[in-house]
Amino acid sequence: MRVGLDVGGTKTDAVAIDAAGNVQARVRRTTGWGPEAVAATVVDAVGALADELALPVAAFESVGVGIPGLVEPGTTRVAHAVNLGIVELDLAAAVAPTLGLPVAVENDVKAAALGAYALGDGTGTLAYLNFGTGVAAGIVVDGVLWTGSTGTAGEVGHLSIDPDGPLCTCGQHGCVEAFSGGGTVARRWGRPGELPVRDIFDAADAGDAEAIVLRDGVAYGISAAIRALVLTVDAGTVVLGGGITMLGDRLMAVVGAQLEQSAEASPFIRSLRLDERVRVLPAGSPVAAIGAALLGAHRDTQEVLAHG
Ligand SMILES: [Zn+2]
């Protein structure tokens, strides 16, 4: 049994999966703030899974953690996890002595990409495109996460698709994230409400001109990111995840219309059948936690190969 955790800004989702990849237990904990509290949350969640299964923690083979922020490839160090109050933290060093288990760490979106790959047919190239406060993608090729030289692979949120577009937090104009990221979209909308993106879709349906512009911008950014991922890595499947997927079919209706427009403009783009490659993750799917659990498995395999 392997453990995977998805450490989010407010909640930590933890699963234990068996050798066949099936979820045997799932618990949720409120994530603590700051390096020590985050490490304590991880230890607590692993203990809770063990309790749920009536097993000792030592019965688990490994722990994998998906966490927002920059994780240097091949290390367990996370940096710039702003929403967790972490500037820098070696998470494995912080929790492994208490847990007594091997601990692997990866960026949460990249972990989710591994999870989405495992939940799919498990072949070819998959891109997982996450739309939360920010926008980023994880790419899995033949079951292996593609991180690039420095971990930047998949940062399509900062691909500028309109030089005259809205200002992005990164300093560029017209980034995918400036059109489709929950943070920027909420700021541009500027009206109070718990779920700004849903409010925008509701207002657009009711004919609000400003909301229509923002909604179509969201779809424009998503369809541009889908095109970029298919044109660069020929992703056979592009899985959409993150908070925005709660819109479900309403989201796909506008994204599908944008993809159709680009197909109408270009026989080449049409030949790529972009719309047939897109899937929306069911809301609440523990995809990042499942991927994190597999991360432990992958790391072990790589170590076995590296050390013979
Ligand atoms: Zn940007």
Side-chain angles (χ1 to χ4, degrees):
M1 203 98 70
R2 297 177 182 279
V3 172
L5 292 93
D6 174 17
V7 178
T10 51
K11 293 262 178 252
T12 290
D13 200 0
V15 298
I17 64 169
D18 60 21
N22 298 313
V23 175
Q24 295 295 338
R26 183 179 183 187
V27 299
R28 281 195 181 129
R29 286 286 180 274
T30 301
T31 307
W33 170 262
E36 275 141 43
V38 167
T41 305
V42 170
V43 171
D44 178 44
V46 177
L49 281 173
D51 289 348
E52 184 103 356
L53 293 161
L55 289 171
V57 167
F60 294 132
E61 281 173 60
S62 62
V63 174
V65 183
I67 190 165
L70 209 66
V71 179
E72 204 182 308
T75 77
T76 54
R77 274 194 305 278
V78 58
H80 309 299
V82 188
N83 293 334
L84 299 172
I86 292 174
V87 177
E88 202 179 313
L89 171 68
D90 188 330
L91 194 53
V95 302
T98 312
L99 293 173
L101 299 168
V103 176
V105 181
E106 186 52 87
N107 166 271
D108 57 348
V109 172
K110 292 192 166 70
L114 271 181
Y117 193 89
L119 294 176
D121 65 1
T123 57
T125 299
L126 173 141
Y128 171 79
L129 191 47
N130 194 71
F131 292 88
T133 308
V135 178
I139 298 157
V140 180
V141 182
D142 295 331
V144 179
L145 201 56
W146 185 20
T147 57
S149 309
T150 62
T152 312
E155 290 290 346
V156 292
H158 298 294
L159 192 66
S160 176
I161 52 174
D162 179 1
D164 300 319
L167 182 66
C168 183
T169 51
C170 75
Q172 301 188 104
H173 281 270
C175 289
V176 167
E177 185 168 307
F179 281 104
S180 310
T184 318
V185 169
R187 266 196 304 283
R188 292 174 63 205
W189 178 234
R191 301 183 204 176
E194 284 276 293
L195 301 163
V197 177
R198 200 188 58 191
D199 291 347
I200 289 165
F201 272 66
D202 287 346
D205 285 349
D208 182 305
E210 193 192 346
I212 290 170
V213 169
L214 286 173
R215 180 199 62 191
D216 292 351
V218 167
Y220 176 65
I222 293 175
S223 57
I226 292 167
R227 266 196 309 279
L229 287 163
V230 171
L231 290 168
T232 49
V233 300
D234 191 15
T237 310
V238 180
V239 177
L240 305 185
I244 206 166
T245 56
M246 70 172 175
L247 291 165
D249 291 345
R250 300 174 75 190
L251 180 68
M252 275 320 292
V254 284
V255 171
Q258 291 273 354
L259 292 175
E260 179 56 32
Q261 243 179 49
S262 56
E264 264 169 27
S266 158
F268 169 60
I269 296 293
R270 176 173 294 282
S271 75
L272 300 175
R273 301 185 179 281
L274 297 174
D275 56 335
E276 292 175 16
R277 300 182 190 225
V278 180
R279 308 269 181 280
V280 180
L281 201 66
S285 168
V287 72
I290 290 171
L294 297 170
L295 192 72
H298 279 264
R299 208 52 48 96
D300 289 354
T301 314
Q302 280 167 11
E303 267 165 27
V304 169
L305 292 173
H307 302 297

